[in-house]
């Protein structure tokens, strides 16, 4: 599989990042796909594991991070890991 550029959409919680990405993917004018990231926080509402995020416990997250499976990661609110 050919590697493509990584495009990061960044902003504070609740500003509409997901809405912007969903609209771009819906248009199908660019060869884009969503990267599914991982988190240790609990699921919210109708989020689905493997679609919204990979919902992992802290041990699994730390194992993946130690194995080099993350491009980047962060601890948010001193409780949850995202990567």
């Amino acid at each position: 599989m050919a590697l493509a550029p990584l495009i990061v959409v960044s902003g504070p919680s609740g500003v509409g990042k997901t809405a912007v990405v969903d609209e771009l993917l819906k248009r199908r004018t660019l060869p884009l796909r969503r990267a599914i990231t991982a988190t240790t926080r609990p699921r919210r509402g109708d989020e689905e594991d493997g679609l919204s995020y990979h919902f992992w416990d802290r041990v699994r997250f730390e194992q993946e991070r130690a194995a080099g499976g993350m491009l980047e990661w962060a601890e948010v609110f001193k409780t949850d890991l995202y990567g």
Side-chain angles (χ1 to χ4, degrees):
M1 171 177 16
L3 296 178
L6 175 65
I7 300 169
V8 177
V9 178
S10 179
S13 178
V15 297
K17 298 177 297 288
T18 299
V20 169
V21 171
D22 287 347
E23 183 61 32
L24 287 171
L25 292 173
K26 185 169 60 175
R27 291 180 185 203
R28 300 185 184 271
T29 55
L30 298 169
L32 300 174
R33 62 185 178 156
R34 182 186 311 272
I36 308 301
T37 57
T39 183
T40 59
R41 73 159 173 78
R43 292 182 208 182
R44 297 177 189 149
D46 60 354
E47 292 179 326
E48 296 181 43
D49 187 39
L51 183 60
S52 306
Y53 287 93
H54 296 289
F55 293 97
W56 294 340
D57 62 24
R58 186 172 277 268
V59 171
R60 168 82 187 274
F61 192 101
E62 296 285 359
Q63 289 171 337
E64 294 288 339
R65 188 180 71 172
M70 305 268 173
L71 290 173
E72 60 87 26
W73 69 275
E75 186 169 22
V76 179
F77 303 121
K78 298 183 181 181
T79 58
D80 300 313
L81 300 172
Y82 289 81

